[in-house]
Amino acid sequence: MPMTDDTVSPKRAASAGQGRTASPAGSVDTDDVAVQSVATTFRILDELAAAGRPLRLTEIATALDETKAKVHRHLATLRQLGVIEQDGGTERYRLGWKLVQLGESVAEQFNLREIAAPHLTAIRDETRETALLAVPIGWETQVVSVADNIHARVFISIKPGNRPLPHAAAQGRVVLAFSPPEMVDRALSRELVRLTPYTLTDKVLLRERLALVRERMWDTADSEIIEGVNTLSVPILREGDEIAGVFSIVGLSRNVPSEADPHQLEVLHRHARLLSESLSGTAYQARGPRLDDPPSRRRGRPRIAD
């Protein structure tokens, strides 16, 4: 039988009662092959998720630096399982509904939305802006809960499920700032789309910005996605400084300034710290504002009524 890129030499059978036997020199351990196969599967899913659009087989194989034959075998299996779908007309692949079901199950088990709900409502009422909860999906973020601004006749809102470009969104940069270096490298290795004249796309400046975000524990993205709209975001941390989610407020740039408003930042940091401490997150204890500090007075331009 001809060798393909997935063909491996069989592992020597272990003797009865002797447990696992080392593979002969030059052969491939089937356990290692299984691990590599799982890793390739997740790389494919990561690529489809990061692209934000259906991809052709060639695009996926090129991005993963794998042969089309190998990637096609993984895609065929994933399609049979309902994890991905293929458009019959364009033959492009996209993430399948099965992942939505799995994601909902994970959310129910961890249920950050439920424990964050009272904080989200309080953030909205204390800042009088729309409040958001987002969670990391690889190097991206997805909005999972929104408390719309009920204090204004006209307000900015974002639908749950929204996944903004990570380099252009305050939520995305907060997640990247607390992500492993290899994940940051992968996120910044792709083309960074400029959505407005203000979108930050310079990769050197982005890395400097991520270091600053990790130090100060907040970020804004004024007019980077939509001109005249800004988001102020802070991290929710667990088990030390592992990113669990992001609290944000979103509004008109005149009401959510690019230089964080002290009152808005104090509100976000206070609630993020309380939630982080309940998840064993300790970074706020070392670097964040103390809860017994007096609330900062709002300064700068007054909020303009909508």
Side-chain angles (χ1 to χ4, degrees):
M1 181 180 69
M3 294 288 288
T4 69
D5 53 345
D6 274 348
T7 304
V8 298
S9 302
K11 180 183 176 183
R12 179 181 295 172
S15 300
Q18 292 182 346
R20 180 177 173 180
T21 303
S23 300
S27 67
V28 180
D29 192 315
T30 53
D31 288 347
D32 291 339
V33 172
V35 171
Q36 292 171 11
S37 178
V38 172
T40 300
T41 295
F42 274 91
R43 290 174 63 203
I44 291 172
L45 296 178
D46 278 344
E47 200 62 40
L48 288 171
R53 61 179 178 83
L55 296 177
R56 293 185 180 277
L57 169 61
T58 301
E59 294 178 288
I60 302 171
T62 300
L64 270 57
D65 194 23
E66 299 282 2
T67 66
K68 289 199 292 185
K70 181 175 181 179
V71 172
H72 183 265
R73 284 192 288 274
H74 283 81
L75 290 170
T77 301
L78 291 170
R79 187 175 60 178
Q80 290 175 356
L81 295 173
V83 177
I84 65 170
E85 300 170 355
Q86 185 179 25
D87 186 281
T90 65
E91 297 186 348
R92 296 175 186 266
Y93 295 90
R94 60 177 178 266
L95 298 178
W97 183 252
K98 182 68 174 179
L99 290 176
V100 177
Q101 296 174 315
L102 292 174
E104 290 176 347
S105 297
V106 172
E108 289 175 1
Q109 291 176 31
F110 183 53
N111 215 357
L112 184 62
R113 283 180 295 188
E114 181 176 342
I115 61 177
H119 294 285
L120 202 64
T121 301
I123 290 170
R124 176 199 64 192
D125 293 340
E126 291 182 56
T127 63
R128 301 175 71 84
E129 298 291 349
T130 295
L132 313 173
L133 170 67
V135 296
I137 307 291
W139 59 76
E140 294 186 307
T141 57
Q142 178 170 311
V143 176
V144 295
S145 189
V146 179
D148 280 329
N149 182 2
I150 60 173
H151 305 285
R153 295 188 301 273
V154 178
F155 59 89
I156 304 297
S157 183
I158 297 178
K159 291 182 179 180
N162 181 272
R163 294 173 68 167
L165 293 176
H167 68 278
Q171 306 103 304
R173 293 198 290 253
V174 166
V175 166
L176 288 177
F178 288 87
S179 295
E182 58 271 18
M183 187 172 292
V184 176
D185 291 341
R186 291 186 64 190
L188 299 186
S189 66
R190 57 200 63 239
E191 180 183 1
L192 303 182
V193 179
R194 186 182 297 277
L195 300 175
T196 77
Y198 306 98
T199 305
L200 181 57
T201 58
D202 185 294
K203 296 182 180 181
V204 174
L205 294 179
L206 273 167
R207 290 185 183 276
E208 293 175 356
R209 182 67 162 266
L210 296 181
L212 177 61
V213 171
R214 189 175 179 91
E215 178 184 351
R216 69 187 184 182
M217 301 181 74
W218 62 268
D219 198 21
T220 60
D222 192 4
S223 296
E224 292 193 48
I225 295 181
I226 300 175
E227 292 191 52
V229 174
N230 190 23
T231 303
L232 173 61
S233 301
V234 303
I236 302 166
L237 303 163
R238 64 182 175 195
E239 305 300 333
D241 62 355
E242 179 183 345
I243 189 73
V246 181
F247 274 145
S248 305
I249 57 171
V250 60
L252 299 175
S253 299
R254 64 191 186 187
N255 295 327
V256 183
S258 54
E259 277 301 319
D261 177 277
H263 170 67
Q264 294 173 344
L265 185 58
E266 185 275 330
V267 171
L268 283 165
H269 268 159
R270 172 161 39 88
H271 286 283
R273 176 170 176 161
L274 285 169
L275 183 52
S276 296
E277 290 178 347
S278 73
L279 301 172
S280 301
T282 58
Y284 276 101
Q285 298 173 9
R287 293 171 289 183
R290 292 180 57 84
L291 293 180
D292 54 0
D293 285 343
S296 303
R297 292 184 179 274
R298 185 182 179 97
R299 65 182 180 217
R301 292 172 295 178
R303 188 184 191 284
I304 300 174
D306 296 303

